[in-house]
Amino acid sequence: MEGKHAGPPLAGVIGWPISHSRSPILHGHWLRRYGIGGFYVPVALAPETFAEGLRALRTVGFVGANVTVPHKEAALALASAITPRAARVGAANTLTFLPDGGLHADNTDVHGFLANLRQGAPGWSATAGPALVLGAGGAARAIVAGLIEEGCPEVRIANRTRDRADRLADHFAGRLTVVDWGFASAAMDGARTIVNTTVLGMAGQADLDVQLDAAPADAVVNDIVYVPLETPLLRAARRRGLTAVDGLGMLLHQAAPGFERWFGTKPAVDEDLRRAVLGA
């Protein structure tokens, strides 16, 4: 670690805005649980000050940071060492300041997505059949990468703006089937994994206007929104008898690799953590 800071390890989450983030709550829970004398804080950095802000964090003794919207692609561009997963996704969410002055970039959203599905839908396998991903933003990048990595035979993607879905398909070199948003409900046909990565259904946003009627009876439906925890999409899935997996687990699981890297302890993702983050 560069600089002369010799106090407790410091880490945080960087975004613009950042006040909504629950990452300080979950990392704070782990720090208390394991008796670690470190700190994890929210850091608001505008895009034009992101690079300068990272340098300042290193100077004051930060060992690393998570990055969220809108910095994930910029974080990757500034890194001197990049994991294969981050390169495949084209974005980074977990940064570590290296002793030689470099910056290590990882994408743990892939891990978070896969671990959440395995925990929430035991027996789930990406190889079971096609997947449908709704949305084409940064989270969709990680989820698509995870599905491809796990051997999903076909990944369909639908986004309200077709051009953005086409750009994502280009990034993955033709591995995606782009579906017009108006045909998203029909694209449920045969989809064994269905994932909403849009903000639709989130508190304060419009509902996600898709129907699950065409989905097979053994489909797993995942909504990465976690406020509210039970979104309209997940309610509709449960009414149809489908397996429904909420989005909180992805947030919790993606945090674990960074915590272990920065604070030296592998944390447990369990019900105690869920209750802490939900404010129970």
Side-chain angles (χ1 to χ4, degrees):
M1 181 172 58
E2 190 177 86
K4 297 181 180 180
H5 178 85
L10 306 173
V13 56
I14 307 168
W16 186 258
I18 199 58
S19 59
H20 66 285
S21 176
R22 298 197 180 186
S23 291
I25 297 172
L26 74 93
H27 283 273
H29 173 83
W30 280 333
L31 288 169
R32 291 188 299 273
R33 179 175 185 170
Y34 299 110
I36 298 171
F39 297 93
Y40 184 99
V41 299
V43 180
L45 287 178
E48 60 270 21
T49 64
F50 179 65
E52 179 185 356
L54 276 184
R55 289 191 293 271
L57 293 180
R58 175 192 289 279
T59 300
V60 298
F62 274 64
V63 293
N66 290 120
V67 289
T68 187
V69 176
H71 300 311
K72 292 185 178 184
E73 291 182 39
L76 189 74
L78 292 170
S80 58
I82 299 170
T83 65
R85 264 187 174 172
R88 283 195 297 273
V89 175
N93 75 323
T94 303
L95 303 177
T96 303
F97 296 119
L98 300 174
D100 64 2
L103 183 67
H104 178 275
D106 193 8
N107 190 301
T108 65
D109 285 333
V110 178
H111 165 78
F113 165 67
L114 295 174
N116 185 37
L117 274 190
R118 292 186 178 115
Q119 188 173 52
W124 172 82
S125 173
T127 63
L132 173 64
V133 177
L134 303 171
R141 280 175 169 259
I143 285 163
V144 166
L147 290 167
I148 292 172
E149 185 179 302
E150 290 295 303
C152 185
E154 179 191 0
V155 180
R156 306 165 186 168
I157 187 159
N159 191 61
R160 285 173 289 177
T161 305
R162 168 77 186 228
D163 180 62
R164 196 169 189 186
D166 287 335
R167 291 200 303 272
L168 190 60
D170 289 342
H171 176 79
F172 285 99
R175 299 289 299 274
L176 306 186
T177 301
V178 178
V179 177
D180 283 334
W181 187 252
F183 294 99
S185 295
M188 303 280 180
D189 187 20
R192 307 289 287 279
T193 306
I194 298 163
V195 188
N196 175 41
T197 74
T198 75
V199 298
L200 297 175
M202 183 184 293
Q205 300 288 336
D207 286 345
L208 177 63
D209 187 21
V210 298
Q211 307 302 316
L212 293 168
D213 298 350
D218 59 352
V220 173
V221 181
N222 174 219
D223 197 328
I224 71 165
V225 170
Y226 56 86
V227 180
L229 199 60
E230 181 83 344
T231 64
L233 176 67
L234 295 184
R235 280 199 301 273
R238 294 189 205 281
R239 283 198 300 269
R240 277 212 58 210
L242 307 179
T243 300
V245 181
D246 67 56
L248 183 59
M250 180 173 172
L251 172 73
L252 306 184
H253 283 287
Q254 65 79 29
F259 185 90
E260 182 176 6
R261 190 171 296 137
W262 304 323
F263 299 111
T265 297
K266 184 175 183 177
V269 177
D270 54 18
E271 283 303 313
D272 282 346
L273 180 64
R274 283 180 66 91
R275 284 192 292 269
V277 174
L278 289 171

